[in-house]
Amino acid sequence: GIFEVASRPENPIILGEVELEADPRGIALKEGLAFVVASSAIDRQTGELLPSSIQVVDVGNPFAPEVIAVADLPADRVGDVAVVDNLLLVAADKAGLLVYDVTDPYAPQRVVFDRRLGLGRALGIAIDSGKRRRRHRSPLLDRWLHRTAPGR
């Protein structure tokens, strides 16, 4: 749900709700969109296994949030998520760091990832905006983005 807490933090008011496929494990916000990641789970109605996923929710109108896209993730467990420019970063435990291009939020696209960078397990994400003007403060991510940038 979407809550208004500024005026009454002791008693938040629910503004709107949206049904998600599975319980959220992480949420990142950008320009009226919520990027929600969920680990694989059993569907409460059918008993089927739902894959881990990114669910993109338009929260521009907090009274009527709407799921506008769902993309399956190649991982059993996911956790933290962050948006940097048009990249969605997902900490996916043993699957490592997953990177998606969300330039078109209606169709998140997985960016090819080179596992030779040695990330191992990804349990969380920290983005340090710092005082310097840089897109990223992670040398590993900077190196990967430089190597995979279009035209390289």
Side-chain angles (χ1 to χ4, degrees):
I2 298 175
F3 295 87
E4 191 279 318
V5 295
S7 63
R8 298 181 358 197
E10 71 284 349
N11 191 18
I13 300 168
I14 190 159
L15 301 178
E17 295 181 279
V18 65
E19 185 74 29
L20 299 174
E21 288 186 354
D23 295 333
R25 295 290 181 221
I27 300 172
L29 298 172
K30 181 184 179 188
E31 300 171 1
L33 297 172
F35 296 92
V36 182
V37 293
S39 290
S40 58
I42 302 296
D43 185 295
R44 294 175 188 101
Q45 294 178 348
T46 66
E48 294 180 25
L49 181 65
L50 297 171
S52 295
S53 64
I54 301 166
Q55 299 172 66
V56 184
V57 182
D58 182 342
V59 294
N61 177 355
F63 298 100
E66 177 183 5
V67 176
I68 61 170
V70 176
D72 292 346
L73 295 171
D76 290 330
R77 291 179 40 188
V78 295
D80 209 0
V81 61
V83 179
V84 178
D85 298 324
N86 287 326
L87 294 178
L88 183 71
L89 311 173
V90 180
D93 196 11
K94 293 179 184 176
L97 179 67
L98 303 178
V99 181
Y100 283 77
D101 181 339
V102 291
T103 302
D104 177 2
Y106 290 90
Q109 297 294 314
R110 183 164 180 209
V111 178
V112 177
F113 188 72
D114 186 347
R115 292 202 43 101
R116 292 173 291 170
L117 294 176
L119 285 175
R121 294 176 73 176
L123 303 175
I125 297 171
I127 303 296
D128 178 5
S129 60
K131 298 209 185 272
R132 293 184 274 165
R133 291 190 54 88
R134 286 187 59 191
R135 291 178 71 183
H136 313 284
R137 296 292 301 274
S138 164
L140 183 63
L141 186 57
D142 284 341
R143 185 174 74 219
W144 177 78
L145 289 173
H146 177 75
R147 285 179 24 172
T148 60
R152 293 202 179 265

